[in-house]
Amino acid sequence: MIRARASAPAPVPAPVRLRTLVCLVVLALGAVVAGAGTSRAAGYRYWSFWESDGARWTYATQGPATARPADGAVNGFRFAVSADSADADRPRGTPDFAAVCGGTPAREGHKRIAVVIDSGTGADAPAGEKPPAPRAECARVGEDATSAEALAAVAKPLRYNSEALLCAVSGYPASGCGERVAGGGATQDPSGAPETSGTPSSASAPAAGGSRDGASDGEGGGGPSAGLFAGAAAVVVLAAAGLWQARRRRG
């Protein structure tokens, strides 16, 4: 009995092999990009410093230790988890100098600064701590005072680290300073507008202070990870090997 002989599969044309290779490379690049987004998800827990233009908050271009606001300015401090200044949560509530300092009369040789202090949400808080409610205070300080001195006039005790990073306002949080937090920024709570209080007494404060975008250990939250470079290298190797094989078969 004669058995039918199985025929060999037809060779895959080179254009088809090349298209398949391109699809694999695109899928691999997609996986690398997704991994890159995951690697940048980490953020830092810290106090950010904001200034008001009268209608909205803008991230300050200098630290509170060097900023010297004029009479009628509004400064904001927000505690949250964020990767950088572009990702930082603003203080909640509309900045309003009149609402905060309207009952504080002007005094010669002094200036009035509305200071909004937003300690963030429970999602921003370190483990075991509860953020105080947002509040706003009117600081009446010397004409040459910095934003750090205005903050100290209404929100002691303050805590700084050895790099002059603002770590705590009114004792919150009790520990930690710019530590890295896995998982990225916390969800902003739209509720909780700052409450105004009575006129505080005038006080001077040390010129130390400053808030920044990163952590005190100098780690960056947005740089590419080793996994990203490894994935990109794997894609390059895969593409080179596939092209070499395709040319070899054509030859």
Side-chain angles (χ1 to χ4, degrees):
M1 180 173 57
I2 300 174
R3 296 181 180 178
R5 185 176 179 181
S7 59
V12 179
V16 175
R17 292 199 303 269
L18 186 57
R19 285 196 297 269
T20 302
L21 175 62
V22 170
C23 291
L24 289 174
V25 170
V26 170
L27 290 174
L29 282 173
V32 170
V33 171
T38 303
S39 69
R40 288 194 295 268
Y44 298 92
R45 182 182 286 119
Y46 68 102
W47 283 97
S48 56
F49 174 44
W50 301 79
E51 296 171 327
S52 166
D53 63 0
R56 61 187 179 89
W57 292 110
T58 56
Y59 200 91
T61 57
Q62 56 183 323
T66 55
R68 298 184 186 277
D71 181 77
V74 180
N75 286 175
F77 297 85
R78 172 67 191 262
F79 186 77
V81 176
S82 57
D84 51 36
S85 59
D87 180 58
D89 289 336
R90 293 172 172 81
R92 290 166 291 178
T94 303
D96 189 344
F97 176 80
V100 180
C101 290
T104 303
R107 180 182 297 175
E108 186 177 355
H110 292 75
K111 60 185 177 183
R112 297 161 299 165
I113 310 298
V115 181
V116 176
I117 304 164
D118 188 342
S119 299
T121 67
D124 300 317
E129 296 201 52
K130 181 180 180 181
R135 61 192 177 97
E137 306 280 358
C138 186
R140 185 162 56 190
V141 291
E143 289 181 332
D144 198 42
T146 64
S147 294
E149 291 173 316
L151 177 64
V154 298
K156 290 182 178 178
L158 305 180
R159 179 167 55 86
Y160 296 92
N161 70 358
S162 59
E163 298 178 0
L165 174 65
L166 179 61
C167 302
V169 175
S170 295
Y172 179 81
S175 61
C177 193
E179 64 271 19
R180 187 169 183 170
V181 179
T187 302
Q188 183 171 343
D189 182 356
S191 64
E195 300 177 356
T196 59
S197 65
T199 304
S201 60
S202 177
S204 61
S211 61
R212 65 179 190 182
D213 299 347
S216 56
D217 58 8
E219 291 186 63
S225 66
L228 173 59
F229 289 120
V235 170
V236 172
V237 171
L238 176 64
L243 290 173
W244 175 82
Q245 186 177 14
R247 290 177 180 176
R248 181 183 178 187
R249 289 180 178 177
R250 284 199 302 268

